[in-house]
């Protein structure tokens, strides 16, 4: 079993920054890629950013150049969010993939509003 715990969400003004963190615990040896998804009201959950165990990153076009994913060890991943826009408002979910199971955090709400 793998447990994912997110932190760092909250309310921020447009143009501001937030840093999300996700820490995995349990059978972390099985984790490969990790990433962040988000789901805004009335929209499908979408991939925001991902990072492989080897450090390769990928970003959604909507956040490219503003958001940065990083991984400081096997089981911890971060999402630095800069120049936030109201349309970034969503519940952000941490994800970790193992060969057999896709794990999800419970989500962290990011609200971008003045």
């Amino acid at each position: 079993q793998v447990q994912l715990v997110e932190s760092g969400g909250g309310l921020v003004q447009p143009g501001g920054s937030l840093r999300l963190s996700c820490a995995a615990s349990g059978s972390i040896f099985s984790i490969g890629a990790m990433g962040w998804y988000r789901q805004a009201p009335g929209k499908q959950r979408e991939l925001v950013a991902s990072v492989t165990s080897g450090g390769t990153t990928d970003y959604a076009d909507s956040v490219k150049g503003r958001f940065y994913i990083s991984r400081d060890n096997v089981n911890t991943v971060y999402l630095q969010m800069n120049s936030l826009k109201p349309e970034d408002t969503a519940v952000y979910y941490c994800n970790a993939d193992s060969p057999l199971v896709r794990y999800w955090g419970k989500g962290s709400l990011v609200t971008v509003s003045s």
Side-chain angles (χ1 to χ4, degrees):
Q1 293 281 4
V2 172
Q3 296 80 43
L4 302 175
V5 179
E6 300 138 320
S7 62
L11 175 65
V12 65
Q13 295 186 26
S17 297
L18 283 176
R19 183 177 174 90
L20 301 180
S21 300
C22 176
S25 61
S27 300
I28 60 174
F29 66 90
S30 66
I31 295 175
M34 298 184 71
W36 293 93
Y37 290 71
R38 69 184 182 186
Q39 187 167 21
K43 297 183 179 179
Q44 295 292 315
R45 186 176 299 189
E46 63 175 349
L47 176 67
V48 177
S50 64
V51 57
T52 69
S53 59
T56 301
T57 60
D58 193 27
Y59 298 92
D61 288 341
S62 60
V63 307
K64 196 170 298 182
R66 299 188 297 120
F67 291 11
Y68 302 92
I69 191 169
S70 61
R71 194 172 182 176
D72 65 358
N73 55 38
V74 173
N75 63 320
T76 305
V77 66
Y78 306 91
L79 185 67
Q80 178 67 46
M81 303 184 293
N82 301 318
S83 301
L84 283 160
K85 305 174 181 179
E87 51 263 43
D88 295 318
T89 296
V91 177
Y92 285 72
Y93 297 90
C94 180
N95 155 253
D97 291 336
S98 70
L100 297 178
V101 181
R102 167 167 279 188
Y103 298 97
W104 295 96
K106 63 181 180 181
S108 182
L109 178 62
V110 173
T111 302
V112 184
S113 176
S114 59

